[in-house]
Amino acid sequence: MNITVAENYSQMSKKAAEVVEQVILDNSSAVLGLATGTTPIGLYKELISDFKRGKISFKNVKAVNLDEYIGLPKTHVQSYAFFMKSVFFDHIDIDPSNTSIPDGMAENLDAECARYTRLLKGMKRDMQLLGLGSNGHIGFNEPGTPFDSTTYVVNLTSATISDNSRLFGSIEEVPKKAITMGISEIMSAGKILMLASGRNKADAVYSMINGRISEECPASVLQRHPDVTVILGRDAASLL
Ligand code: GLP
């Protein structure tokens, strides 16, 4: 693992943008696995600003997202489809038909998982961006998820529901289920870029980097990936 501790959130986001932009400079038709959450917002802002300055183009880039809540329409402000459009895709030159996200409103969720698994098999991701749950989750792969999992419907843990409730009106409004890319699919990306900031991530960061590789900390599986870049804020790195 290549680990960098940034001075602050802004520097973490700038360093992360450099990594993503290098992937696109190496391959203008790169396939990027993308993530939602509060952590990557600064990265997306950097990429938008570099796009506007003409430094980078997403014209031929494909994007495939990690996860989506079940039961939130794409128009719901907390759906990950809405997040990706409003925070990133609407501000760059990516072709909307080159973006994919699991459909959390699908009538047949098993069929939707199978569709996403097929999609991922047919698309070699150059890079997968990840955030980190305070319980060590990646995507929505909660502690205990088998490392050989492919896209599936997950029952969110009470820790995740509570963490994410800050973005909803009340804890009752947080969906209890999601569709997530599985751990084996995350691991099949050519490169992993993991970002974490905030003191509440420090325990999970420690377990991810220094802990035993165990399904109890899903992010610990990244120790087995040959090309992982971890960029941390100071608080998140405080236990290392
Ligand atoms: C969410 C998402 C993850 C995200 C993580 C951290 O539940 N499913 O993909 O990385 O939790 O989110 P945040 O960056 O807001 O702390």
Side-chain angles (χ1 to χ4, degrees), residues 35-40 66-67 69 80 130-133 137 139-140 160 164 166 201:
T36 53
T38 318
T39 313
L66 274 174
D67 48 14
Y69 286 118
Y80 289 168
L130 294 175
L132 184 64
H137 76 216
F140 265 134
T160 295
N164 290 3
R166 71 189 192 279
K201 303 292 173 72

Side-chain angles (χ1 to χ4, degrees), residues 99-116:
T99 67
S100 305
I101 189 158
D103 180 2
M105 293 293 283
E107 264 183 39
N108 183 338
L109 291 168
D110 288 342
E112 176 57 7
C113 293
R115 179 191 74 85
Y116 217 68

Side-chain angles (χ1 to χ4, degrees), residues 67-204:
D67 48 14
E68 177 61 286
Y69 286 118
I70 288 176
L72 296 189
K74 290 179 177 44
T75 49
H76 191 291
V77 287
Q78 292 306 335
S79 77
Y80 289 168
F82 187 92
F83 175 101
M84 289 310 299
K85 248 176 86 57
S86 59
V87 171
F88 192 38
F89 297 151
D90 280 353
H91 310 283
I92 55 170
D93 61 344
I94 197 164
D95 179 344
S97 69
N98 280 340
T99 67
S100 305
I101 189 158
D103 180 2
M105 293 293 283
E107 264 183 39
N108 183 338
L109 291 168
D110 288 342
E112 176 57 7
C113 293
R115 179 191 74 85
Y116 217 68
T117 291
R118 276 196 308 277
L119 179 87
L120 293 168
K121 258 198 190 136
M123 266 177 146
K124 200 193 146 316
R125 268 157 301 140
D126 295 87
M127 192 208 82
Q128 178 64 57
L129 172 65
L130 294 175
L132 184 64
S134 63
N135 63 357
H137 76 216
I138 46 177
F140 265 134
N141 292 284
E142 302 281 32
T145 306
F147 285 162
D148 63 358
S149 56
T150 56
T151 305
Y152 65 103
V153 172
V154 55
N155 291 315
L156 300 176
T157 60
S158 49
T160 295
I161 291 170
S162 156
D163 279 356
N164 290 3
S165 66
R166 71 189 192 279
L167 303 167
F168 289 80
S170 67
I171 200 157
E172 288 72 35
E173 289 171 48
V174 185
K176 308 290 177 286
K177 287 174 187 266
I179 299 187
T180 183
M181 204 185 272
I183 292 182
S184 72
E185 292 162 333
I186 290 175
M187 290 292 279
S188 69
K191 177 179 189 61
I192 304 275
L193 173 59
M194 157 64 75
L195 305 182
S197 78
R199 180 66 183 80
N200 63 324
K201 303 292 173 72
D203 285 311

